[in-house]
Amino acid sequence: MTCADRPAGLPEDASLIAQIPAPIRAGIIRLARAFRFNADSKDRLVNWHAPGSCPIAKAAP
């Protein structure tokens, strides 16, 4: 078992984000939250079997 792979997110350039239509942006946010939940769950499972193997996730803003 390995820790979850967390790829880099979208660019944080406000001018680019403003170009994404609101319904698409909302969908991207839902997908990102679901991905984070699954990745955090996997890391907790790995840490349960081998404590300290995966970094502790920061609380969501």
Side-chain angles (χ1 to χ4, degrees):
M1 293 174 84
T2 60
C3 300
D5 180 31
R6 289 179 169 83
L10 297 172
E12 294 187 25
D13 182 353
S15 66
L16 294 175
I17 293 172
Q19 296 175 19
I20 301 172
I24 303 297
R25 186 169 51 247
I28 291 169
I29 291 169
R30 286 191 303 273
L31 288 171
R33 287 182 178 155
F35 179 88
R36 180 179 180 157
F37 176 80
N38 289 333
D40 289 348
S41 295
K42 181 179 181 188
D43 285 350
R44 283 193 303 275
L45 178 63
V46 171
N47 280 334
W48 185 73
H49 284 284
S53 296
C54 299
I56 304 290
K58 297 177 189 173

